[in-house]
Amino acid sequence: MSAFNGMLALAVNGFRESRRNRVTVVVYLFAAILIFAATFALEMTVGTFERVMTDLGLGVISIITVVLTIFLGSGLIPREIERRTIFMIVSKPVARSSFVVGRLLGNLLTSFFVLVIMAVLLIGQMVVEGTPIRESLVVALIGIALEVLVLSCVSFAFAAGSSQFVSAVCCSGLYFLGHLSTDLYKFADRAKSPVLGFLGKVAYYVLPNLDRLDFKGRATYADPTPWSELGGSVVYAIGYSVVMIVIATAVFERRDFK
Amino acid sequence: MKKSALAWLGAGLVLVGLSSRAPSPRARAGDPHPLMLRPGVARTISKSQFPLLLDFYWLRTLNLIGEAESAEKNRALYDFGRFLTDSDPRFWHAYKYVGLNVPFLKGRTYVNGDLASDLLRRGTVQFPSDLKLHLFLGFNLFYIEQKYVEASEVFRHGATLEAAPMWMAPLATRLLSHGGKPEEALALAREMYEETTDEALKKELEQRMIDLQVEVDLQGVDAAIAAYRQRFGVPPFDLAALQKEGLYTGPSTDSIGGTISIGDGGKAMSSSLERRLTLYGSGDSD
């Protein structure tokens, strides 16, 4: 129970710290400006108002949350080590694994908070403009939330054992590769060399398959997503995140802070 | 830095300075085609933000529509349209707006009509039951490209679609007739007459079949006039002149009893028809 309380305290502290962080404020401003700037762009969309509104809103939300997640997730642990504040925590009766999970939860809280604010802004703007709120939009927002979850855990796994820069670069790389994983599988299928084909398929399963968490394209045409497919994506994202958390705690427990 | 190194640096700079020149006028003029990504490449590099990228290009396209005031700019519009529709074949607005705006009136003739038709044709393949795209393609084909037979095919299909205007089916037959195929037009009118249950359309097609029957007769006379003109260099004065030369052996009346004569423009005409089933006398046909 005390371990859980400690984790919770770390999560809440992390959330408060992130809120104090100027980057978060800038992101709110950036989101508001971009989403409201859309109104002016929409003046010239000639019959494609709903499409552009949906794409622009979801695209901006996705970019901002991904950048924020990578920035916060990659920097949190290395910054604690760099500022030596880590010693204040590890000297207390808090397990290192609790520290990682607590910080991760705080980070997720921040990212989800930003995501929810932006989603509310987007939906509010759509309501004002008289654009219908479709199920596909909500599904796309859930997809972005799942992507944030996976990326947060991946960035923690990298940050647990490396510097902020290395973690951010690797996590960004994985973000792009994660969206290309389906293509990777296709290339592996077509590879003439069986070794290359095998390696390609291994990479497909090892890399986070962010493609299956991306429903933005369907929101463009309000295409439905079967709940079974969405459920499968939720399970996949949670499973992948758990694996990344385990890796992050295992690496962090072996890390020497000197 | 050593003096020798400075000397080499100076010499290098002089050589670069002397050999530098502005890009050739041709290079500066630029390619008429805008710099575009291939759809596959664009999809791969933008992957998770592909809808956003497409919308960016869509807004650029709309911007270009607003400022297109030359054949080249309208040509570039086609490239944007192809990029958008190849990347997202369901982008109905791209087919419509780009297809409508690609043709450019240069002097007294339209250019880029073939490009517009190409895009609209792709649109009708993608949306076979979309009436507007069929209307735009048909209009583009007959008015800008003067491809009457193909336009007739498009209108013929369009006439079968829901909410198709009543004039579409008769127009299909008229275009086919103007394209030099009155027999086919007659067969088409008969086919549509039998297929339709719309009484008003049936009535319209009944009249059109009569007109087409007369048109078949008159085009037979037109062929004889053309042969006369080839032989003598001038059009015949009257039908008797054709009969005298043995170029026309048919009756002097059409199928519904109207008198056939030769008009001022050297074209056959009938007293039973107020106007021939032709659009623009000098238009080319396919």
Side-chain angles (χ1 to χ4, degrees), chain B residues 180-248:
Chain B
K181 300 187 173 183
E183 289 93 349
E184 284 183 31
L186 190 58
L188 174 63
R190 275 201 196 104
E191 190 186 314
M192 287 193 286
Y193 178 82
E194 279 157 23
E195 278 174 7
T196 188
T197 52
D198 185 333
E199 283 307 315
L201 183 58
K202 267 190 185 293
K203 206 171 170 188
E204 188 83 22
L205 285 168
E206 263 173 25
Q207 181 58 44
R208 181 48 45 93
M209 284 192 288
I210 294 169
D211 295 347
L212 282 166
Q213 188 55 60
V214 175
E215 182 62 29
V216 171
D217 299 334
L218 295 182
Q219 287 200 8
V221 180
D222 278 343
I225 293 171
Y228 187 95
R229 200 192 285 266
Q230 201 172 15
R231 191 179 292 177
F232 300 105
V234 287
F237 181 70
D238 55 15
L239 201 62
L242 289 176
Q243 287 165 330
K244 189 179 164 192
E245 292 299 323
L247 291 169
Y248 180 71

Side-chain angles (χ1 to χ4, degrees), chain B residues 104-111:
Chain B
F104 181 76
L105 187 61
K106 197 173 187 179
R108 298 177 75 177
T109 51
Y110 276 98
V111 291

